[in-house]
């Protein structure tokens, strides 16, 4: 890991935390076992009494739940495109010989374990890794999937499901990611590139993925463009390049632009919180209250303590008593937050943020 000396007496690391911190962070959930994942995923594969035709496949004795699942993992125009691709055509052909969704998925994803883990990510987190749904996506192998699961396991357990069907893919093009000035491992759209797979160990893959999750958490407050976030680090969009206060940065990579600053700071809060609190108490407080909803990771004694989430749930429950439609509820929430003024920056959040709680 490369380091760079800043104007203070501390060495600034390239990333907000060592990759190995994904194993030692406070309040880590145990990785789910395959048995636990299979029990969770099997709930979405129950048979029924329906004959269904979905995106060129025909199945017998399926349920509404299993049919919805198959629709969520496939898209007709993507399948048509892949039917001409040498890596996928034989898998699609074999799947079309199946009369059950379980059988078809086993063929498409090359085995039951991959099916279970794909469903787990999709239904528990709203993260869709299917190449039959997403354009330009490769079929993940088990090693890649396990690294993804390790990164996703860092998402706090008190978070609601944040997405409906968020793209999370290994990009199919092998030449993307290697450039003249360095390597690109992934992007905020959560496309994982060849260097992510070839150059990083499992911990590095997990850290990179969690960094990209940080971008998506920052999206709820539009931190890339928010003046209150820019002010915390003194960001100025100068014609000669970004200007900022180096003493407020947790990593050299975070100095790239306000978006990378946000993603690295969010990762630091989870994986290296002591350093973030020392470097920038303002960022620490914002991320504590508005991203992690009060949960701190400085010691194991704070695990499960989410006072801001408790506050937000009370505001939401009160809003539901006054409204029956989502738009009304969100407006009622915003009015209560403004009146109460305990956590005023919630009113900087997009409606998408509140919708995940409703």
């Amino acid at each position: 890991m490369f380091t760079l000396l800043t104007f203070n007496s501390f060495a600034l690391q390239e990333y907000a935390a060592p990759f190995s911190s994904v194993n030692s962070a406070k309040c880590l959930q145990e990785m789910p076992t395959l048995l636990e994942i299979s029990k969770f995923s099997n709930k979405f594969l129950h048979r029924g009494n329906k004959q269904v035709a979905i995106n060129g496949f025909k199945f017998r004795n399926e349920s509404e739940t299993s049919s919805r699942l198959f629709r969520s993992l496939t898209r007709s125009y993507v399948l048509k495109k892949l039917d001409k691709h040498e890596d996928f055509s034989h898998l699609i052909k074999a799947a079309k010989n199946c009369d059950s969704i379980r059988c078809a998925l086993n063929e498409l994803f090359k085995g039951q374990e991959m099916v279970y883990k794909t469903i787990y990510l999709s239904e528990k987190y709203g993260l869709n890794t299917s190449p039959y749904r997403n354009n330009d996506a490769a079929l993940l192998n088990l090693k890649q999937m396990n690294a993804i699961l390790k990164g996703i396991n860092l998402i706090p357990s008190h978070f609601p499901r944040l997405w409906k069907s968020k793209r999370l893919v290994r990009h199919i093009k092998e030449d993307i990611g290697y450039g003249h000035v360095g390597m690109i491992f992934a992007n905020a759209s959560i496309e994982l590139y060849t260097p992510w797979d070839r150059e990083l160990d499992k911990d590095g893959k997990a850290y990179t993925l969690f960094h990209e999750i940080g971008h998506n958490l920052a999206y709820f407050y539009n931190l890339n463009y928010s003046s209150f976030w820019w002010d915390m680090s003194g960001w100025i969009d100068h014609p000669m390049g970004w200007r900022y206060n180096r003493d407020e940065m947790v990593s050299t990579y975070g100095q790239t632009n306000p978006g990378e600053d946000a993603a690295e700071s969010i990762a630091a809060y989870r994986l290296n919180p002591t350093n973030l609190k020392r470097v920038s108490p303002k960022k620490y407080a914002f991320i504590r209250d508005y991203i992690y909803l009060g949960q701190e990771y400085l010691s194991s004694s704070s695990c499960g303590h989410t006072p801001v989430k408790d506050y937000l749930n009370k505001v939401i429950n009160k809003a539901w008593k006054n409204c029956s439609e989502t738009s009304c509820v969100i407006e009622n929430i915003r009015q209560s937050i403004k009146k109460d003024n305990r956590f005023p920056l919630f009113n900087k959040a997009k409606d998408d943020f509140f919708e995940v709680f409703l």
Side-chain angles (χ1 to χ4, degrees):
M1 189 178 296
F2 297 100
T3 62
L4 177 69
L5 290 178
T6 63
F7 291 128
N8 59 34
S9 60
F10 294 91
L12 196 63
Q13 301 294 315
E14 184 174 4
Y15 300 110
F19 291 161
S20 60
S21 65
V22 301
N23 302 305
S24 57
K26 299 293 190 293
C27 309
L28 272 179
Q29 308 169 74
E30 286 192 22
M31 286 290 294
T33 65
L34 179 57
L35 178 61
E36 291 168 334
I37 290 173
S38 66
K39 284 183 177 179
F40 175 90
S41 299
N42 271 319
K43 295 183 294 184
F44 303 94
L45 290 168
H46 287 162
R47 305 296 295 275
N49 56 11
K50 295 178 179 290
Q51 293 189 9
V52 294
I54 305 172
N55 296 332
F57 294 81
K58 294 181 180 180
F59 304 117
R60 295 184 297 170
N61 301 323
E62 292 298 341
S63 65
E64 186 60 41
T65 300
S66 62
S67 300
R68 182 200 60 77
L69 172 69
F70 194 81
R71 289 189 188 94
S72 74
L73 296 177
T74 61
R75 189 176 282 166
S76 59
Y77 78 86
V78 178
L79 284 161
K80 288 178 182 178
K81 183 178 176 181
L82 293 180
D83 207 13
K84 301 174 183 178
H85 194 290
E86 62 180 357
D87 292 343
F88 291 96
S89 57
H90 65 290
L91 301 176
I92 295 172
K93 182 178 180 180
K96 286 189 173 180
N97 289 327
C98 293
D99 66 358
S100 74
I101 286 174
R102 183 187 291 271
C103 169
L105 291 177
N106 282 343
E107 295 292 349
L108 291 172
F109 291 93
K110 293 187 176 181
Q112 187 170 262
E113 183 172 349
M114 283 298 297
V115 172
Y116 286 152
K117 290 178 176 179
T118 299
I119 295 171
Y120 179 80
L121 285 174
S122 177
E123 298 301 321
K124 184 174 176 63
Y125 294 99
L127 293 167
N128 198 318
T129 62
S130 173
Y132 307 101
R133 174 77 182 183
N134 296 292
N135 267 324
D136 297 324
L139 185 63
L140 294 168
N141 59 42
L142 199 54
K143 184 178 179 181
Q144 294 162 346
M145 174 61 83
N146 288 338
I148 287 171
L149 286 169
K150 187 170 187 175
I152 296 305
N153 199 53
L154 293 167
I155 296 176
S157 60
H158 66 277
F159 277 16
R161 175 173 160 170
L162 298 173
W163 304 281
K164 293 180 180 178
S165 186
K166 169 69 182 171
R167 175 182 172 91
L168 193 174
V169 302
R170 162 76 162 84
H171 203 285
I172 199 168
K173 294 181 180 178
E174 294 292 322
D175 58 343
I176 296 181
Y178 290 104
H180 297 296
V181 294
M183 294 179 290
I184 301 173
F185 298 127
N187 65 21
S189 298
I190 319 190
E191 294 177 328
L192 309 170
Y193 298 133
T194 302
W196 175 86
D197 189 33
R198 294 181 182 174
E199 310 295 339
L200 297 172
D201 62 12
K202 189 174 182 179
D203 292 348
K205 289 180 173 70
Y207 178 92
T208 300
L209 179 57
F210 191 65
H211 167 96
E212 304 306 343
I213 293 293
H215 279 294
N216 285 268
L217 294 174
Y219 160 83
F220 287 121
Y221 294 90
N222 204 23
L223 294 187
N224 293 21
Y225 307 102
S226 294
S227 59
F228 71 86
W229 179 259
W230 284 30
D231 290 345
M232 290 186 197
S233 296
W235 284 104
I236 298 173
D237 190 1
H238 191 274
M240 298 297 290
W242 288 106
R243 302 291 189 265
Y244 49 84
N245 181 354
R246 294 174 182 235
D247 291 341
E248 295 284 341
M249 297 295 169
V250 292
S251 68
T252 57
Y253 192 60
Q255 295 175 343
T256 307
N257 56 49
E260 298 302 346
D261 176 24
E264 281 289 272
S265 297
I266 289 168
Y269 186 92
R270 182 71 182 89
L271 300 171
N272 196 2
T274 301
N275 188 52
L276 176 64
K277 191 172 186 179
R278 175 186 62 78
V279 169
S280 182
K282 292 179 292 185
K283 288 181 188 175
Y284 181 91
F286 170 78
I287 294 171
R288 177 195 63 210
D289 292 344
Y290 296 100
I291 301 294
Y292 287 90
L293 306 178
Q295 171 72 70
E296 296 192 83
Y297 298 100
L298 297 169
S299 71
S300 298
S301 62
S302 62
C303 299
H305 184 59
T306 56
V308 182
K309 183 183 180 183
D310 296 341
Y311 163 82
L312 197 57
N313 283 336
K314 289 178 182 178
V315 173
I316 291 170
N317 291 335
K318 182 180 177 181
W320 273 119
K321 293 178 181 179
N322 299 324
C323 301
S324 58
E325 296 182 358
T326 299
S327 58
C328 174
V329 171
I330 291 174
E331 180 57 32
N332 202 278
I333 291 169
R334 292 190 183 281
Q335 290 174 3
S336 295
I337 288 169
K338 184 177 181 179
K339 183 179 180 180
D340 180 84
N341 205 37
R342 287 176 61 191
F343 300 101
L345 290 180
F346 273 130
N347 271 327
K348 299 287 187 180
K350 295 172 180 279
D351 286 354
D352 297 18
F353 172 81
F354 296 110
E355 286 174 359
V356 303
F357 289 89
L358 303 182

